[in-house]
Amino acid sequence: MVPSSSPAGFVKSPMSEIKLTGDAFELYCDVVGNPVPEIQWWYADINRADSFKQLWDGARKRRVSINTAYGANGVSVLAISRLTLEDAGIYECRASNDPRRNDLRQNPAITWIRTQATISVLQKPRINASDQEILQPKSGQELPITLQCNLTNSHSTHRETFWMKNGQEISKTRTEHKHTEFKLSKPRTDDSGEYMCVYTFKSAPNANASIEVKAAPEIFGHKRSENKKEGENATLYCKSVGYPHPMWLWRKKVGRGSYIDIDNSTGRFFVINKDNFTELSIISLDISTDPGEYVCNASNIIGSKESMTILRVRSHLAPLWPFLGVLAEIIILVVIIVVYEKRKRPDEVPDDDEPVAPIKTNSTNNHKDKNVRQRNAN
């Protein structure tokens, strides 16, 4: 049975936005229909809304990206990066499954359905921010660091300012001043990261400036040792602080001062790295090759740090070792007793032919007869 055809319809339409120069935006378009409709993107200047031009992937010096996928629905994403004031305008998503849709003799208003979004681009406010900082916590010079931002120019009324670190707002930093400061009294390695001063406005998007506080990695979380049985899986990990996020490397000690790098090429070792965290998984432990010292190394442009974990792999017979030890002691004791009995002196053991009681000798009998004679004489 041939499924019945159905005209194109929008499931999700692009939304209008206000952006700042240098920012980026994405517009989404989701359509249904049978057959699945074709999707196109068009653009018109705000002052010439009746004059549309089709957009292509890679246009505007490769700042335009169009990704479209067709399945049960048709889904398309239009993205434009590094916005300029000239990117402001009307962006239109068109969809059609009409067989005549690409016939130039047909009126596009009849064969294509449309939905629009208006993108407004405002000049980004000017923010003067302090330079990057590099921490040296181990030097003993924990001097205070002050991060500063100053809003010097904006096209909309300023409302308030606050600070963020690594994408999270820092509490109790909101103020209405255009000049703002954030102080690190005793900076440590875990104070490193990307700091951002954020300015909010009444009729414009937020504006911000970034200040990087860099530091060499310090590894603070890892397993010092891991005990497993052969055939089991083992997981070793390391955590660090420091910024920028480190490059991670796992190595195994194979000799005095000699190491081999570990990667995902063997099929039994799997390494997962994510920002300040790394994890090494070893599948089906081999008691002859896998035990040993494993080292995780974290390095960035400021410095590096490494930490060691000792992996021990026990045999399947390990649970029986206490019982086998007791059994061995019993066997040794029995052997000692047997050997002792075998080595006794011969005169300590009576022979079977030797009489139990001593035999009276003739001298004894003569002595008795002499005593009788003496009594008779008396």
Side-chain angles (χ1 to χ4, degrees):
M1 180 178 179
V2 179
S4 59
S5 61
S6 58
F10 289 107
V11 177
K12 186 174 184 179
S13 300
M15 304 293 291
S16 297
E17 296 183 61
I18 301 176
K19 293 292 183 178
L20 300 175
T21 53
D23 290 347
F25 73 82
E26 289 184 346
L27 300 179
Y28 296 84
C29 194
D30 189 350
V31 297
V32 293
N34 188 29
V36 178
E38 177 187 354
I39 300 176
Q40 295 179 356
W41 288 96
W42 293 69
Y43 164 81
D45 188 277
I46 293 178
N47 298 323
R48 301 181 60 184
D50 57 343
S51 179
F52 278 88
K53 297 179 180 179
Q54 188 171 357
L55 282 173
W56 304 96
D57 185 47
R60 301 181 185 176
K61 298 181 179 181
R62 300 188 179 276
R63 294 188 298 110
V64 175
S65 171
I66 299 176
N67 293 299
T68 305
Y70 296 102
N73 292 11
V75 180
S76 186
V77 180
L78 166 68
I80 302 182
S81 60
R82 305 188 306 277
L83 290 174
T84 66
L85 296 176
E86 289 73 25
D87 291 321
I90 302 172
Y91 291 83
E92 187 173 84
C93 175
R94 297 183 181 182
S96 176
N97 58 3
D98 192 315
R100 304 167 299 164
R101 61 184 178 274
N102 293 319
D103 188 342
L104 298 179
R105 296 171 297 178
Q106 300 296 322
N107 184 357
I110 299 176
T111 56
W112 292 82
I113 60 173
R114 311 176 183 200
T115 183
Q116 297 178 344
T118 300
I119 300 298
S120 301
V121 181
L122 304 178
Q123 183 65 47
K124 187 174 183 178
R126 183 176 299 172
I127 303 172
N128 292 334
S130 54
D131 296 331
Q132 70 173 15
E133 299 282 353
I134 298 179
L135 302 182
Q136 302 289 346
K138 296 297 183 180
S139 65
Q141 299 178 355
E142 297 180 353
L143 299 177
I145 292 177
T146 301
L147 310 180
Q148 302 182 51
C149 287
N150 185 32
L151 177 66
T152 60
N153 182 30
S154 65
H155 295 283
S156 181
T157 304
H158 170 249
R159 296 180 61 185
E160 59 181 357
T161 310
F162 61 91
W163 286 88
M164 301 180 72
K165 178 190 176 186
N166 298 332
Q168 300 293 324
E169 181 178 348
I170 303 174
S171 61
K172 299 179 181 180
T173 60
R174 287 189 175 260
T175 176
E176 296 181 355
H177 301 297
K178 293 184 178 181
H179 179 83
T180 180
E181 295 182 351
F182 183 74
K183 188 174 183 179
L184 299 172
S185 300
K186 294 183 178 180
R188 303 176 302 178
T189 301
D190 56 355
D191 289 320
S192 62
E194 182 183 18
Y195 289 81
M196 186 180 296
C197 54
V198 182
Y199 291 86
T200 65
F201 304 91
K202 289 185 177 180
S203 58
N206 294 350
N208 60 74
S210 297
I211 304 173
E212 291 185 332
V213 178
K214 298 179 180 180
E218 287 287 340
I219 298 176
F220 71 94
H222 73 285
K223 292 182 177 180
R224 297 186 181 275
S225 64
E226 179 81 340
N227 300 315
K228 290 289 184 179
K229 297 178 184 177
E230 59 179 326
E232 293 182 339
N233 300 335
T235 301
L236 313 180
Y237 67 87
C238 288
K239 299 178 182 179
S240 73
V241 291
Y243 187 84
H245 298 312
M247 297 288 293
W248 289 100
L249 175 65
W250 282 94
R251 297 182 299 164
K252 183 179 186 295
K253 190 174 183 179
V254 293
R256 180 176 297 179
S258 179
Y259 294 85
I260 58 172
D261 294 345
I262 299 174
D263 54 31
N264 294 334
S265 62
T266 63
R268 291 182 53 246
F269 293 80
F270 298 94
V271 178
I272 299 176
N273 300 327
K274 185 178 180 182
D275 296 340
N276 286 337
F277 177 83
T278 183
E279 182 179 271
L280 169 63
S281 297
I282 308 174
I283 308 301
S284 186
L285 289 170
D286 187 329
I287 194 171
S288 61
T289 60
D290 292 335
E293 298 177 2
Y294 291 81
V295 175
C296 65
N297 179 279
S299 61
N300 62 18
I301 59 175
I302 308 301
S304 64
K305 188 73 174 181
E306 64 182 26
S307 186
M308 181 185 69
T309 299
I310 298 175
L311 176 62
R312 302 181 181 90
V313 181
R314 297 181 297 171
S315 168
H316 289 302
L317 298 177
L320 298 177
W321 287 347
F323 169 76
L324 294 177
V326 173
L327 181 61
E329 290 179 358
I330 295 175
I331 294 175
I332 292 173
L333 182 61
V334 171
V335 170
I336 292 174
I337 295 173
V338 171
V339 171
Y340 175 78
E341 292 294 334
K342 289 288 186 180
R343 291 186 177 183
K344 278 185 176 181
R345 293 195 302 272
D347 56 355
E348 294 179 359
V349 181
D351 294 336
D352 293 340
D353 297 334
E354 185 178 348
V356 176
I359 300 176
K360 293 181 179 180
T361 62
N362 292 332
S363 61
T364 303
N365 293 333
N366 293 335
H367 181 70
K368 287 183 177 181
D369 292 341
K370 184 178 179 179
N371 291 337
V372 171
R373 288 195 297 269
Q374 289 177 352
R375 285 195 299 266
N376 292 335
N378 293 331

